[in-house]
Amino acid sequence: MEKITFLNPGFFWLFLSLPLLIVWYLVTFKKQTATIKMSSVKGFASSGSFIVKLKPILFVMRLLALSALIIAMARPRTVDISNQTKSTKGIDIVMAIDVSGSMLAKDLKPNRMEALKKVAQSFVENRPNDRIGLVVYASEAYTKSPVTSDKAIVLNALQSVKYDNVLQDGTGIGMGLATAVNRLKDSKAKSKVIILLTDGVNNNGFIEPETASDIAKQYGIKVYTIGIGTNGMAEFPYALTPNGQFLFRMMQVEIDEKLLQSIAKNTGGKYFRATSNEKLKIIYNEINKLETTEIEELKFYDYDEKFRPFVILAGLLLVIEIGLRKTIFKSFI
């Protein structure tokens, strides 16, 4: 149902004058008809006139006409508001995710990789105005999803991330970062961001992390680094059974935090350590707040004026009232 608003609601104060008019009418009602003083009216038949009893209807019509005019002056109208938004400062984001075998460690539940996928999915869904891409890496790296505004493509790519034999096992942080930089170097976005996540130490790849970091800096790309893994010991996969199942044992968690801190500092980003599912969620929420997109919202107002019917009603009531006063009730007024 349409919502009616009033442009000049102050005119409603005029309704306070209506009770005063009613009191004035009741006080002066008997004076409106001529009277004759007689010593006795016994000789006259007592018969009331129906038309005379209807005479107050003229006053009622005038009150109704005045009420309609007051409402018309208050300018009732409905408004249809349509919004149009556009990003004035879009952000291009590439998530570089470590998919080495150690990402199956169970210190995060059910494991690091599944915990990350759940949190990253929420992050993507909360960035509707930005373009996002996905890079995965182990000893090598490749683009899982190009930088795109189609969130369905990114979410499908993210959902399909898993440990497999496509990439040789190992941790090539420099390879992952360099591939992500390559996805963003030609971007025209106002802000370019890489979220680099790893759970280990750089031990593979032919591109040094420091070199990839310097390249990112040259292209004005900010890198947020996340070290994922609890402090101390965690259940790591170390072998496969004949039926393809992983065997786990407790091992020391090793993350090159100094390297990740150096990459973040060099590019103007920030380093985080995710030691639990909840901490990982908090980190992505913090990055979401740090990298905000300016949105310009345009509102279009379409007003439909509703005062005309009240003006017409007031005019009709006044015409009818004056007509009755000059015709049927002429002999009594």
Side-chain angles (χ1 to χ4, degrees):
M1 185 176 180
E2 292 181 321
K3 184 179 179 180
I4 296 178
T5 59
F6 295 89
L7 181 62
N8 305 312
F11 281 105
F12 284 126
W13 288 103
L14 294 176
F15 276 112
L16 295 177
S17 65
L18 299 186
L20 298 177
L21 293 176
I22 294 173
V23 171
W24 173 82
Y25 178 80
L26 295 175
V27 171
T28 61
F29 176 73
K30 293 184 178 180
K31 298 181 180 179
Q32 296 177 18
T33 305
T35 57
I36 301 175
K37 292 183 178 181
M38 302 182 66
S39 59
S40 175
V41 293
K42 292 181 179 181
F44 297 93
S46 176
S47 61
S49 172
F50 179 73
I51 295 179
V52 173
K53 293 180 180 179
L54 287 179
K55 190 177 70 170
I57 198 173
L58 299 177
F59 179 71
V60 173
M61 293 178 69
R62 186 165 291 187
L63 286 180
L64 291 175
L66 182 58
S67 299
L69 285 174
I70 292 173
I71 295 174
M73 288 188 295
R75 290 285 294 279
R77 60 184 182 176
T78 58
V79 58
D80 179 28
I81 304 176
S82 57
N83 294 344
Q84 179 180 344
T85 60
K86 65 177 182 179
S87 301
T88 56
K89 285 191 177 181
I91 298 175
D92 279 358
I93 302 171
V94 171
M95 294 186 292
I97 298 175
D98 187 345
V99 292
S100 58
S102 57
M103 285 293 288
L104 299 177
K106 296 182 177 181
D107 47 352
L108 275 69
K109 303 301 178 184
N111 58 51
R112 295 174 180 176
M113 190 172 294
E114 292 302 317
L116 167 65
K117 287 164 61 174
K118 182 177 180 181
V119 173
Q121 178 179 338
S122 177
F123 177 82
V124 172
E125 292 172 344
N126 288 328
R127 310 291 302 193
N129 302 296
D130 300 318
R131 300 198 311 162
I132 298 178
L134 182 62
V135 167
V136 294
Y137 69 95
S139 61
E140 300 172 303
Y142 70 92
T143 301
K144 188 79 171 177
S145 170
V147 178
T148 176
S149 58
D150 190 335
K151 299 305 184 292
I153 293 177
V154 181
L155 291 173
N156 287 335
L158 187 59
Q159 192 62 36
S160 65
V161 170
K162 61 181 180 179
Y163 173 77
D164 51 31
N165 294 321
V166 174
L167 299 176
Q168 182 182 346
D169 202 7
T171 303
I173 296 175
M175 299 295 292
L177 180 55
T179 303
V181 170
N182 193 46
R183 294 294 91 196
L184 289 175
K185 64 184 180 64
D186 297 323
S187 170
K188 303 300 181 183
K190 296 289 184 180
S191 181
K192 293 174 285 189
V193 172
I194 292 174
I195 302 175
L196 177 73
L197 182 139
T198 186
D199 67 344
V201 177
N202 184 68
N203 54 25
N204 259 296
F206 55 85
I207 299 179
E208 293 297 324
E210 293 84 359
T211 302
S213 172
D214 290 337
I215 296 173
K217 182 179 180 180
Q218 290 175 13
Y219 283 105
I221 300 172
K222 187 186 299 183
V223 182
Y224 290 99
T225 55
I226 302 174
I228 184 170
T230 188
N231 293 310
M233 308 289 285
E235 285 187 85
F236 278 87
Y238 71 94
L240 284 172
T241 63
N243 61 358
Q245 297 296 317
F246 282 100
L247 296 176
F248 291 84
R249 66 183 178 189
M250 297 299 293
M251 298 175 62
Q252 183 69 36
V253 176
E254 291 185 63
I255 298 176
D256 193 344
E257 293 193 272
K258 289 185 177 180
L259 173 63
L260 298 179
Q261 290 170 349
S262 174
I263 292 172
K265 183 178 180 180
N266 185 42
T267 60
K270 191 174 181 180
Y271 167 69
F272 302 92
R273 178 69 183 269
T275 56
S276 65
N277 293 59
E278 186 60 30
K279 181 64 175 177
L280 182 63
K281 182 178 179 181
I282 292 172
I283 289 170
Y284 270 86
N285 287 338
E286 184 171 346
I287 295 175
N288 189 44
K289 292 177 182 177
L290 288 172
E291 295 297 329
T292 57
T293 303
E294 292 185 15
I295 303 298
E296 179 181 343
E297 181 177 28
L298 302 177
K299 286 190 176 183
F300 300 92
Y301 296 84
D302 183 17
Y303 293 101
D304 185 10
E305 298 288 349
K306 300 293 185 182
F307 70 90
R308 294 178 184 85
F310 293 97
V311 174
I312 294 173
L313 176 62
L316 288 175
L317 289 172
L318 288 175
V319 169
I320 295 172
E321 189 258 347
I322 293 173
L324 292 175
R325 187 181 297 273
K326 298 296 183 180
T327 56
I328 297 176
F329 295 100
K330 184 176 180 180
S331 302
F332 305 96
I333 303 174

